[in-house]
Amino acid sequence: MIAETGFFLLLFSFAAAVYSALASLVGARRAHGEKLIVSGRNAAYLTTALVTASLGMLLAGLLRQDYQIAYVWSVTNPDMNAFYRLTALWGSQAGSLLFWSFLMSLFAAISIAFAWRRFHALVPYAITVMMVTVAFFVGLSVFLENPFERWWLAGGTGDVMRSVLMPAGAFAPDSLNLQGSAQGLNPMLRHWAMAIHPPLLYLGFVGFIIPFAYAVGALASGNLSTDWIKATRRFTLVAWMFLSLGLLLGGRWAYDVLGWGGYWGWDPVENAAFLPWLAGTALLHSTTIQEKRGMLKTWNLSLVVLTFSAVIFGTFATRSGLVESVHSFARSEIGFPMFVFWFGLTLVAVLLIIWRRGRGELRAEHEFQGLLSRESLFVLNNVVFVALFIAVFWGSFGAPILSELVMNTNITLGADYFMRVTPPLFAALYILMGVAPLSGWGVTSLRRLGRAALIPLVLTLASLGLFALAGMSTALSYVAYFVVLLAGWVAIVETARGIAARRRAHKENVVTSAWQLFGRNPRRYGGYMIHLGMTVIGIGVIGSTLFQVETQRTLQPGQTLELGGYTMRYDGLLANQVAEDGRLMDIAQVAVLRDGRELANLRPRRDFYPQSEGTNSMTIAGSHSTLENDFYVLLVNWEPINANQATFKVYINPLINWIWTGGLILIAGTFLAAYPKDVVSERARQSVALAKPGQLARKGA
Amino acid sequence: MSQAAWTKGSDPVPQTRKSIKPEQIKFIVAGLVILTAVVFLIISGTASGAQYFLTVDELLSDPSYAGKPIRISGAVDGETIVYDGANLIIDFEIANIPTETTDLALTLHQAVNDPTASRLRVHVENEVKPDLLQHEAQAILTGTLGPDGVFTATEVLLKCPSRYGEAVPEQAGA
């Protein structure tokens, strides 16, 4: 029953989404179409409810262990606990597509409820775009990647078949047999970070479709004010945060599970998720310019299209087998429809932009004045982000595809390419992150900028002194840390200045004035906090990239190895331990010592999943984590005959935990920046924004 | 509602001057400098990072590839894997994958079991044997072909298709 119910709910949601898209569009184009518009909105809400219910059915199938459903059979087995059963929802293609549709419809419903009254002109067109998207993804589930198909055996021949409804003359296979042969979730995906990495990534992806929908709404309705930005800013911000966390957690999973001591490999699929992040980060910055100065209207609309395109392209590239990647799902049938969908929506949006621009409706209200003005620096920031976008796209997709088409050979660009091209661009971004907050709107002189930068510069040099004391020696690392630290210190000093100024003016204590200041300028100080988070992440990335050390050694129990001031002692091995989910574990026991003092006992191990086909063994690192570094140990080999001897690979990854810490600061900053201040008093916020250039002038004087 | 907005948006915006002012020249110069730098970065990066992505047949049929940075894809023959765990040296053979179909698992299976398929010996040093290095996995290797006909790989990526493929419960009918 579960499978049929789930499938029909999905079928109805497809119909509801199609109706909603059409009714909204027709209603918006008609002189008295309000009734149709309301009907379209209600159908959108209904779509959300139906998709949610359908997802609930699949979830019920997973939790109730209904192995007759092919999807359930392929991603779970009786040994798995309820948590991994839940995460199996996005463990494979068909489930993750349905989950994608669910998140998309949920975001659509929330954005409609939020924008319905305030931005009414945009909503019908936005609903059309969002529901076309939902209908497309639900359609993929209904027609190509159906998660509700069940196993059947043909009456005469006993051939195995898959379909939702029972084929004529077929019978259901024996439940116990199915249960016994069920495959279980890929062992590599049984990790806390992998359990939440896909949903976070999807939340990010899906969230970026909302600004696209409302931007198309603006273009189609002719309301080309900043309404589309206001209606979606918070969605963009939250999407950005989820995408950032999704990327970080993907790295964390790779670091914990893949056992190569790294977290980012410039693999095409990683890059496919990184591209929308780059475009989306540029978008978050440049829409501010339009809100404050009425500039960059065409640019912002183009950027929103680029972000959306990157999301759909990323989903398409990941799932279509377009490029060789360790990540790619099986080559599947959804590649071509996805390409058509992406191309169609992008084309419509681009044509709308060209049309509105041709009518002169996207002209800027101000002109650029000084090279060092804040708007110029923001534009520069955008240029660098787009350059990074192009560089990463070229390296992952452009060069391989073009060489295939034009030269009939396949040329790929490895990590060398990315390690040469991206660091200077990242450095440029950190420099801008350090300089832009110090500049003002309009014209800013170099001298004023220099004065404002004095304190952060001194603090940066002082921190570099600490690095020197710690023994850092290469020139490159000093340059890298200089730009990264400066950005962070500027964020801290600017925040401290704001608090101090408010304390003087209002005679408040530090906590009250910080609270008041953040509450009045959530976007500004949330932004600074995010900048600080990026600095902390940068500290970790540079440290772990430039200063990683590694060694490998075969040890007898009691023997030790030395690395980077640490001593590791091998104490013995526990072979063939059985875990509660049925896997077998060989666990090495090692102690980590420094200056003769025992810091930690680690248990690097090898897991073996006897029931899984394909990937059935995993190397799980043991690591001793501090802010200073990770002492990361892999048990790479041991001989069952000679259990006394084991081989280890050991890494020291300096400052790597700053990366994850930076992620937490990023979350806090995003929540602050998304604090719903402008709903409460739009006018107060605008007056604060107008006062900013003056404040800066005073600061500089 | 939407109609009102439609007419509001189409109000003509006052025309601005089109000629380039001296003010704007510095923006144009700055833009050109950035563009040049980015183009240079991408071109030099491409020159240093480019690798031919070949099949085993393509590599073996053209001697000019020897010594060049190559990426190669092949099907792993599990029986040939020799792993020296104490010194972290891996040796194995990959078979040519003719044309890829939508069923990667089947393609790999046929490649490994085709006695006429060309094969390449692979040598990897200082690498832990990856968990995914097993029979009928797809290996994507980066490295160079030596004069002895052995491919020395510096990077090993592996893909096991069985997980996401169209697996069918074999015992179902039993």
Side-chain angles (χ1 to χ4, degrees):
Chain A
M1 265 321 277
I2 290 179
E4 292 99 322
T5 314
F7 177 71
F8 283 110
L9 284 167
L10 203 59
L11 205 58
F12 293 143
S13 75
F14 178 73
V18 170
Y19 170 77
S20 171
L22 289 174
S24 302
L25 185 64
V26 174
R29 303 300 301 166
R30 272 202 197 149
H32 303 286
E34 191 59 26
K35 267 189 182 166
L36 260 181
I37 293 176
V38 170
S39 167
R41 177 199 66 176
N42 294 342
Y45 287 150
L46 179 66
T47 305
T48 308
L50 289 169
V51 175
T52 308
S54 174
L55 186 86
M57 288 298 135
L58 185 59
L59 193 58
L62 286 165
L63 293 176
R64 289 177 39 178
Q65 309 191 34
D66 197 339
Y67 296 110
Q68 305 279 351
I69 301 173
Y71 183 78
V72 175
W73 177 86
S74 70
V75 292
T76 60
N77 69 25
D79 292 332
M80 283 164 58
N81 64 29
F83 176 69
Y84 285 123
R85 256 175 232 297
L86 179 80
T87 65
L89 199 54
W90 47 83
S92 186
Q93 177 104 294
S96 69
L97 269 177
L98 181 57
F99 187 66
W100 215 104
S101 303
F102 160 70
L103 290 177
M104 179 67 221
S105 64
L106 193 66
F107 265 58
I110 295 170
S111 83
I112 295 165
F114 172 73
W116 180 252
R117 283 186 195 287
R118 286 183 74 204
F119 308 105
H120 195 76
L122 309 179
V123 174
Y125 295 106
I127 291 181
T128 302
V129 174
M130 293 185 292
M131 286 301 125
V132 164
T133 310
V134 171
F136 173 75
F137 277 94
V138 168
L140 287 180
S141 293
V142 170
F143 300 111
L144 294 175
E145 288 283 345
N146 192 333
F148 293 108
E149 280 179 345
R150 285 183 289 176
W151 293 122
W152 301 101
L153 299 173
T157 57
D159 285 348
V160 181
M161 296 184 290
R162 305 168 61 135
S163 75
V164 177
L165 301 173
M166 185 165 69
F171 60 96
D174 179 59
S175 301
L176 279 177
N177 268 334
L178 278 176
Q179 184 176 323
S181 65
Q183 305 208 328
L185 193 64
N186 185 338
M188 304 208 97
L189 303 182
R190 299 183 197 183
H191 179 267
W192 65 269
M194 194 33 88
I196 49 178
H197 154 83
L200 288 177
L201 218 52
Y202 295 163
L203 279 168
F205 278 6
V206 163
F208 277 130
I209 291 175
I210 306 296
F212 173 77
Y214 285 81
V216 171
L219 285 164
S221 70
N223 174 0
L224 295 160
S225 67
T226 54
D227 276 3
W228 72 268
I229 297 174
K230 290 199 187 105
T232 60
R233 190 184 72 88
R234 209 157 284 125
F235 286 91
T236 314
L237 204 53
V238 169
W240 181 87
M241 179 190 77
F242 282 127
L243 188 54
S244 308
L245 293 180
L247 289 167
L248 282 172
L249 283 177
R252 177 67 197 234
W253 167 78
Y255 182 69
D256 284 355
V257 171
L258 297 185
W260 52 285
Y263 46 86
W264 186 264
W266 295 109
D267 179 87
V269 168
E270 291 169 3
N271 295 342
F274 191 42
L275 288 173
W277 188 89
L278 290 170
T281 314
L283 179 70
L284 275 173
H285 286 92
S286 70
T287 48
T288 313
I289 306 282
Q290 188 176 340
E291 285 188 84
K292 300 255 190 297
R293 307 278 292 171
M295 300 154 99
L296 301 179
K297 290 176 184 175
T298 308
W299 173 257
N300 283 331
L301 289 164
S302 311
L303 213 49
V304 108
V305 175
L306 183 71
T307 311
F308 164 82
S309 284
V311 165
I312 301 295
F313 181 83
T315 314
F316 157 70
T318 317
R319 291 161 186 274
S320 65
L322 177 70
V323 285
E324 286 300 341
S325 159
V326 273
H327 288 67
S328 45
F329 292 80
R331 279 153 200 258
S332 62
E333 294 159 342
I334 68 173
F336 182 69
M338 211 153 203
F339 182 79
V340 172
F341 169 75
W342 165 73
F343 186 79
L345 265 189
T346 304
L347 188 69
V348 167
V350 169
L351 289 177
L352 277 171
I353 294 176
I354 293 172
W355 176 57
R356 287 288 175 191
R357 203 180 149 78
R359 287 163 56 108
E361 291 169 330
L362 294 171
R363 285 223 178 78
E365 292 152 31
H366 290 86
E367 284 184 29
F368 284 99
Q369 290 163 310
L371 267 179
L372 293 173
S373 68
R374 186 176 286 195
E375 54 267 38
S376 298
L377 293 174
F378 266 55
V379 169
L380 205 53
N381 140 308
N382 267 239
V383 169
V384 180
F385 270 115
V386 171
L388 259 173
F389 185 100
I390 293 169
V392 172
F393 180 83
W394 169 254
S396 334
F397 305 102
I401 293 170
L402 198 73
S403 63
E404 184 91 55
L405 291 178
V406 178
M407 298 159 64
N408 205 21
T409 57
N410 194 336
I411 289 179
T412 61
L413 297 175
D416 285 352
Y417 165 83
F418 295 100
M419 289 312 283
R420 178 187 279 247
V421 176
T422 60
L425 294 172
F426 281 121
L429 282 180
Y430 273 104
I431 292 171
L432 288 168
M433 216 192 283
V435 178
L438 303 174
S439 72
W441 304 107
V443 182
T444 308
S445 74
L446 195 58
R447 212 166 140 197
R448 182 175 292 166
L449 213 57
R451 277 196 207 148
L454 193 63
I455 298 175
L457 269 174
V458 169
L459 287 165
T460 302
L461 293 175
S463 338
L464 282 180
L466 288 178
F467 279 91
L469 285 179
M472 189 172 82
S473 57
T474 60
L476 178 68
S477 58
Y478 279 100
V479 174
Y481 272 119
F482 176 80
V483 298
V484 167
L485 287 169
L486 183 65
W489 278 120
V490 164
I492 292 172
V493 169
E494 282 298 296
T495 307
R497 268 187 192 156
I499 295 172
R502 195 182 157 88
R503 277 191 70 192
R504 275 198 302 277
H506 291 81
K507 309 264 181 286
E508 293 162 346
N509 66 34
V510 178
V511 178
T512 316
S513 54
W515 183 257
Q516 289 289 338
L517 189 73
F518 291 177
R520 276 167 197 278
N521 307 286
R523 294 173 61 170
R524 184 184 181 85
Y525 292 101
Y528 287 165
M529 203 182 279
I530 292 172
H531 282 186
L532 181 64
M534 294 311 295
T535 287
V536 172
I537 290 172
I539 290 171
V541 170
I542 297 170
S544 55
T545 307
L546 292 180
F547 304 114
Q548 185 185 57
V549 287
E550 56 166 280
T551 188
Q552 80 223 14
R553 192 80 53 82
T554 303
L555 301 174
Q556 303 279 349
Q559 279 188 329
T560 60
L561 67 79
E562 308 275 334
L563 184 67
Y566 290 86
T567 304
M568 188 190 97
R569 190 184 65 227
Y570 169 45
D571 289 334
L573 195 121
L574 302 167
N576 285 320
Q577 308 287 307
V578 183
E580 56 188 30
D581 61 357
R583 84 198 120 114
L584 302 172
M585 304 184 291
D586 295 332
I587 307 169
Q589 295 174 303
V590 301
V592 183
L593 302 95
R594 196 179 206 179
D595 305 326
R597 200 165 54 86
E598 199 168 297
L599 296 176
N601 283 293
L602 304 181
R603 292 156 72 86
R605 60 173 212 264
R606 287 183 60 80
D607 289 0
F608 179 69
Y609 292 80
Q611 283 193 316
S612 291
E613 286 175 30
T615 321
N616 56 10
S617 67
M618 280 178 69
T619 308
I620 307 289
S623 73
H624 174 58
S625 299
T626 58
L627 267 187
E628 187 189 345
N629 58 35
D630 260 13
F631 190 91
Y632 181 97
V633 186
L634 295 167
L635 169 65
V636 297
N637 194 45
W638 75 280
E639 298 301 328
I641 316 135
N642 178 12
N644 291 329
Q645 183 172 297
T647 308
F648 297 95
K649 185 144 188 167
V650 185
Y651 296 88
I652 290 179
N653 293 314
L655 302 174
I656 193 163
N657 291 305
W658 288 62
I659 299 176
W660 327 124
T661 313
L664 297 177
I665 302 176
L666 217 80
I667 301 177
T670 310
F671 276 113
L672 178 54
Y675 180 74
K677 164 85 182 155
D678 51 6
V679 177
V680 186
S681 83
E682 186 75 43
R683 194 162 288 179
R685 194 184 58 75
Q686 279 172 354
S687 66
V688 168
L690 287 171
K692 266 176 198 161
Q695 284 174 349
L696 273 152
R698 251 181 284 131
K699 235 178 267 165
Chain B
M1 210 41 216
S2 57
Q3 287 300 311
W6 184 274
T7 47
K8 195 179 94 188
S10 57
D11 285 345
V13 179
Q15 200 73 31
T16 48
R17 278 167 294 161
K18 288 239 162 155
S19 59
I20 297 174
K21 290 181 293 183
E23 275 284 289
Q24 290 174 317
I25 290 176
K26 59 186 177 187
F27 282 98
I28 293 168
V29 171
L32 284 176
V33 169
I34 295 168
L35 187 72
T36 315
V38 170
V39 168
F40 171 76
L41 261 181
I42 291 179
I43 290 175
S44 71
T46 304
S48 76
Q51 300 150 346
Y52 289 96
F53 193 10
L54 306 172
T55 63
V56 175
D57 273 352
E58 286 166 341
L59 176 66
L60 296 180
S61 64
D62 187 345
S64 70
Y65 285 127
K68 285 187 186 158
I70 300 285
R71 256 189 147 201
I72 190 160
S73 159
V76 176
D77 182 350
E79 289 179 11
T80 60
I81 302 173
V82 180
Y83 178 44
D84 176 356
N87 298 305
L88 300 189
I89 295 170
I90 319 166
D91 285 284
F92 58 95
E93 277 183 24
I94 54 172
N96 182 57
I97 302 174
T99 43
E100 289 188 30
T101 59
T102 47
D103 190 347
L104 184 59
L106 184 68
T107 312
L108 292 170
H109 176 74
Q110 286 168 347
V112 171
N113 293 299
D114 177 2
T116 63
S118 51
R119 286 174 167 244
L120 180 68
R121 274 157 59 210
V122 179
H123 178 76
V124 192
E125 280 183 15
N126 199 20
E127 282 271 354
V128 178
K129 183 178 160 230
D131 297 320
L132 293 171
L133 181 64
Q134 54 199 14
H135 192 52
E136 293 178 12
Q138 184 188 4
I140 298 163
L141 310 159
T142 307
T144 49
L145 181 66
D148 53 353
V150 176
F151 189 84
T152 304
T154 51
E155 190 188 306
V156 182
L157 300 177
L158 292 147
K159 228 167 32 170
C160 289
S162 61
R163 298 305 307 156
Y164 292 115
E166 294 289 301
V168 167
E170 282 165 22
Q171 300 106 306

